[in-house]
Amino acid sequence: MSIRKRLILSNIAMIVIPIISFILIEILLGVFYYKVFVPKFNDHPPHSFYFFRFGIIVPIFAITNGVLSYFVSRSILRPVKNLSNAAKQISEGNLNFEVKPINNDELGQLAISFELMRKNLKESAEIQKKYEENRKELIANISHDLKTPITSIKGYIEGIKDGVANTPEKMDRYIETIYLKTLDMDQLINELFLYSKLDLKRVPFHFEEVNIHDYLVDRIEELKFDLEPINVSITYRENVDRENSIVLIDREQFKRVMTNIIQNSLKYMDKDEKQITIKLIDDKEKIKIKFHDNGKGISKEALPFIFDRFYRADPSRNLSTGGTGLGLAIAKRIIEEHGGEVWAESQIGEYTNIFLSLNKKSLLKVTK
């Protein structure tokens, strides 16, 4: 019952109950005076009758008013006290409680709104905490990955200053090493900058209708020139209706996705015959692209995290395999901007499969 109805009914009851009580008392007094004691009033009751009747009706009014006021105020003050306590806990930063509505009235609705606000604040606080942890982890990872080449550059420069590079061959080797380390730093900074822009949704995408089969054929022909000199074979297979393979993509950004996935595969190739297979699969409303390699695989423990930024399966973050730990994270962000999904499967010592899933053109709702 709403507070308004409760107050109206209590005010009506404060009038009706005393009136009914007064009528009943009149009847009882009549019976008491006229039937039990059979008094002699000489047609008029004594003054004590009037005083007694007045003395009864006043307490009835007072008791009725007091009882109704108590219960009505209690039904209002209890929820108010509950909400006041909730507001105090929220102001103190305690969000681990539940605001339960006591009554199904305006204050009950307010309690429900308080509970929704508490949940939203708690969720925001948890997200903020996660962002803070990610920020600290990001700074730690950047510091580590920048410190390693900087330390190496510093060591080689000190060697040059101290005359250790005392031959032209040593000098050339030192300078070449310094140059390669600066390239590593430049790549890290560029990829970090790109990832940050993707995270903030500040990378412009230029989507266009593309036949993904034709796109992959052309792209794989380009990749063969880069992979054949390092003895890596790349093959393409398709299981699609070529006329029904139109997707909406940004050509350059999708090229970056493929490059990052293939570079990640190359880092962990451990077979004599290194193979990469790209397969196009028709999956009803979607088009799937499967990247298969015969590398050393990824452990089940590491597999869920390979698309996280700066993640490397090697906890020591050894740079001997190259890379920044951002390649797959960038690929995932770009595919998500295309409205698609990315995931991986792997078997230690045998293979790794990375899948991309894109909506066909008729189902795409990409915001340009």
Side-chain angles (χ1 to χ4, degrees):
M1 184 184 297
S2 67
I3 296 175
R4 182 179 180 183
K5 290 181 179 180
R6 206 179 306 155
L7 290 173
I8 291 173
L9 291 177
S10 66
N11 288 331
I12 293 173
M14 288 179 187
I15 298 173
V16 173
I17 292 176
I19 291 174
I20 295 174
S21 300
F22 180 74
I23 294 172
L24 292 175
I25 289 172
E26 282 287 292
I27 295 172
L28 293 174
L29 286 176
V31 172
F32 181 76
Y33 277 104
Y34 294 104
K35 300 296 183 181
V36 178
F37 294 100
V38 193
K40 305 295 182 180
F41 291 143
N42 295 325
D43 298 329
H44 295 285
H47 291 291
S48 61
F49 177 79
Y50 295 104
F51 284 115
F52 183 75
R53 184 173 58 179
F54 182 76
I56 289 293
I57 197 62
V58 170
I60 288 175
F61 270 103
I63 292 171
T64 302
N65 190 299
V67 171
L68 290 175
S69 297
Y70 170 75
F71 283 106
V72 172
S73 62
R74 184 170 178 268
S75 68
I76 296 174
L77 292 177
R78 280 182 63 201
V80 169
K81 184 178 180 181
N82 187 36
L83 291 175
S84 177
N85 182 52
K88 182 179 179 182
Q89 292 195 59
I90 290 174
S91 67
E92 293 174 351
N94 178 23
L95 300 172
N96 297 315
F97 66 95
E98 184 179 359
V99 183
K100 296 181 179 179
I102 296 176
N103 301 315
N104 187 22
D105 54 15
E106 291 87 344
L107 291 174
Q109 294 298 319
L110 183 59
I112 293 174
S113 299
F114 253 77
E115 175 63 11
L116 181 61
M117 178 185 69
R118 180 196 68 82
K119 288 181 178 178
N120 290 337
L121 287 173
K122 184 177 180 181
E123 183 179 351
S124 298
E126 290 173 349
I127 292 174
Q128 184 64 32
K129 183 179 179 181
K130 185 178 180 180
Y131 281 160
E132 183 64 20
E133 291 174 353
N134 287 342
R135 185 186 66 83
K136 291 179 180 178
E137 182 182 359
L138 180 62
I139 292 173
N141 290 335
I142 293 172
S143 300
H144 181 279
D145 287 354
L146 284 177
K147 184 177 181 180
T148 302
I150 288 174
T151 302
S152 180
I153 291 171
K154 181 182 177 182
Y156 281 101
I157 291 175
E158 288 177 349
I160 293 172
K161 288 177 64 178
D162 294 341
V164 176
N166 51 13
T167 65
E169 292 78 10
K170 281 189 176 181
M171 180 64 73
D172 290 342
R173 189 169 69 250
Y174 274 38
I175 292 175
E176 179 67 17
T177 303
I178 292 171
Y179 175 70
L180 292 176
K181 294 299 180 182
T182 57
L183 289 181
D184 290 341
M185 293 174 60
D186 187 55
Q187 182 185 3
L188 172 61
I189 292 169
N190 287 337
E191 292 202 346
L192 179 62
F193 183 61
L194 174 60
Y195 182 85
S196 299
K197 289 178 67 177
L198 286 167
D199 206 26
L200 296 171
K201 298 186 181 298
R202 292 181 180 176
V203 174
F205 282 81
H206 306 287
F207 294 103
E208 56 183 303
E209 295 180 11
V210 173
N211 186 307
I212 193 63
H213 165 74
D214 295 339
Y215 178 88
L216 290 177
V217 170
D218 293 339
R219 181 71 185 119
I220 290 170
E221 286 300 317
E222 294 177 13
L223 288 170
K224 285 182 179 179
F225 288 102
D226 298 324
L227 298 179
E228 286 179 354
I230 57 175
N231 299 318
V232 178
S233 67
I234 182 168
T235 56
Y236 172 65
R237 298 175 184 173
E238 48 86 15
N239 182 23
V240 298
D241 176 6
R242 299 183 183 183
E243 300 301 322
N244 191 29
S245 303
I246 307 299
V247 294
L248 205 61
I249 63 171
D250 182 314
R251 288 177 178 269
E252 289 303 314
Q253 296 296 347
F254 199 81
K255 179 179 179 181
R256 184 185 295 274
V257 170
M258 292 185 63
T259 300
N260 288 2
I261 291 174
I262 290 172
Q263 285 181 347
N264 187 78
S265 296
L266 294 176
K267 286 188 296 183
Y268 301 103
M269 290 284 192
D270 61 346
K271 306 293 192 304
D272 293 333
E273 295 183 3
K274 301 177 176 62
Q275 299 174 350
I276 295 177
T277 303
I278 299 177
K279 185 175 183 180
L280 189 63
I281 305 168
D282 192 334
D283 188 21
K284 297 180 180 179
E285 297 88 0
K286 297 179 180 293
I287 289 288
K288 289 199 302 187
I289 305 172
K290 175 183 175 182
F291 294 81
H292 171 86
D293 68 59
N294 65 339
K296 64 181 181 180
I298 304 169
S299 68
K300 292 182 179 179
E301 294 76 17
L303 195 60
F305 307 105
I306 64 171
F307 296 102
D308 293 351
R309 62 186 180 188
F310 284 106
Y311 181 80
R312 294 197 186 106
D314 179 7
S316 67
R317 300 184 60 79
N318 191 334
L319 294 176
S320 61
T321 56
T324 62
L326 286 171
L328 291 183
I330 289 172
K332 180 182 178 182
R333 288 287 186 179
I334 293 174
I335 292 300
E336 288 175 345
E337 290 293 329
H338 282 72
E341 298 177 282
V342 57
W343 68 96
E345 298 174 352
S346 187
Q347 183 69 41
I348 285 291
E350 296 185 18
Y351 67 86
T352 295
N353 294 330
I354 293 181
F355 295 89
L356 308 181
S357 177
L358 297 170
N359 292 319
K360 291 182 180 177
K361 175 185 171 288
S362 60
L363 299 170
L364 280 169
K365 296 180 180 179
V366 180
T367 302
K368 295 187 180 181

